[in-house]
Amino acid sequence: TQLLEQSPQFLSIQEGENLTVYCNSSSVFSSLQWYRQEPGEGPVLLVTVVTGGEVKKLKRLTFQFGDARKDSSLHITAAQPGDTGLYLCAGGSGGSNYKLTFGKGTLLTVNP
Amino acid sequence: DTAVSQTPKYLVTQMGNDKSIKCEQNLGHDTMYWYKQDSKKFLKIMFSYNNKELIINETVPNRFSPKSPDKAHLNLHINSLELGDSAVYFCASSQAGNYGYTFGSGTRLTVV
């Protein structure tokens, strides 16, 4: 069974601070995706990374896929209250039976 | 113009009843999924269909029966509902392979 450990589980910070969320596994994944989920809604895809060592930037968000494709991080610069939400990492595997295995999420609260 | 729509949004029912949740996607995706999100926000895959064929069945009780009449629809029927079935159920779709999922907004099932 492939497991993804996310840390921290909860994070409460002030507007303008920086933060990093980690996603770790002992398994290799063909891709790693990050989602954000708001209350009462489904997760929304932020990014997909597929190459070991890959770094992608989305405005104030920076995503990195580990060289061995077992871990990933999400860094947010100058967090804003609109960044509040549940951040989920998900590892892709399975070839023709491709599926995503989700981490347990990091609940981020950015206080004004 | 909703991409993945599922109905109903809320479902409250008594133990022992049978209920269905419907899902439709208009994205032209080949693959559809059902995920269960528990009270701790952990998302776990239940089923995956590719072009109407079941490709993933993740040790789900056989009281749960998915049905895909065509590749744009994936419904979930649950027999003899139990208290432990209470959760939020998400439908999602994607192109086959290393692509991100588009999720519906979820169905909150409460069994009383």
Side-chain angles (χ1 to χ4, degrees):
Chain A
T1 302
Q2 294 176 308
L3 292 174
L4 277 167
E5 299 289 339
Q6 271 189 251
S7 61
Q9 189 176 355
F10 300 97
L11 190 54
S12 180
I13 61 172
Q14 293 300 120
E15 183 175 1
E17 292 183 358
N18 301 333
L19 67 114
T20 302
V21 176
Y22 299 94
C23 179
N24 296 293
S25 176
S26 58
S27 303
V28 176
F29 291 100
S30 58
S31 67
L32 203 295
Q33 300 177 5
W34 285 91
Y35 291 78
R36 189 174 87 184
Q37 184 178 16
E38 298 191 17
E41 297 296 327
V44 175
L45 179 68
L46 296 174
V47 75
T48 300
V49 284
V50 297
T51 305
E54 184 176 1
V55 177
K56 279 192 175 179
K57 291 193 175 183
L58 184 67
K59 298 184 180 178
R60 295 178 292 101
L61 278 61
T62 302
F63 305 86
Q64 186 164 7
F65 200 11
D67 291 341
R69 291 187 288 132
K70 293 182 179 181
D71 55 85
S72 181
S73 64
L74 157 61
H75 183 79
I76 301 179
T77 304
Q80 298 176 0
D83 296 326
T84 293
L86 178 69
Y87 289 81
L88 297 158
C89 69
S93 61
S96 60
N97 289 346
Y98 180 81
K99 69 175 183 182
L100 285 181
T101 299
F102 281 82
K104 293 189 176 181
T106 295
L107 185 60
L108 171 66
T109 303
V110 182
N111 303 298
Chain B
D1 59 347
T2 305
V4 178
S5 60
Q6 51 181 114
T7 55
K9 176 78 172 173
Y10 300 96
L11 188 52
V12 181
T13 188
Q14 290 187 327
M15 282 175 54
N17 284 350
D18 303 339
K19 291 293 179 185
S20 293
I21 307 171
K22 295 186 175 181
C23 179
E24 175 181 6
Q25 56 99 1
N26 63 4
L27 298 167
H29 287 164
D30 297 320
T31 310
M32 295 185 73
Y33 312 83
W34 278 109
Y35 275 78
K36 179 180 180 180
Q37 189 171 46
D38 62 23
S39 58
K40 295 186 178 180
K41 304 297 185 185
F42 182 50
L43 267 168
K44 187 172 181 181
I45 190 167
M46 300 173 68
F47 301 103
S48 171
Y49 271 72
N50 183 270
N51 279 320
K52 303 191 297 176
E53 289 192 26
L54 179 67
I55 56 172
I56 294 174
N57 181 342
E58 286 284 309
T59 320
V60 178
N62 57 17
R63 298 183 295 105
F64 290 79
S65 51
K67 191 166 185 180
S68 182
D70 55 61
K71 78 170 195 177
H73 295 84
L74 180 61
N75 304 320
L76 183 65
H77 187 76
I78 316 169
N79 289 324
S80 303
L81 278 155
E82 300 177 358
L83 292 176
D85 297 332
S86 295
V88 182
Y89 292 84
F90 285 99
C91 176
S93 72
S94 74
Q95 292 286 34
N98 270 347
Y99 295 97
Y101 290 9
T102 301
F103 282 85
S105 58
T107 296
R108 180 174 292 277
L109 171 66
T110 304
V111 182
V112 297

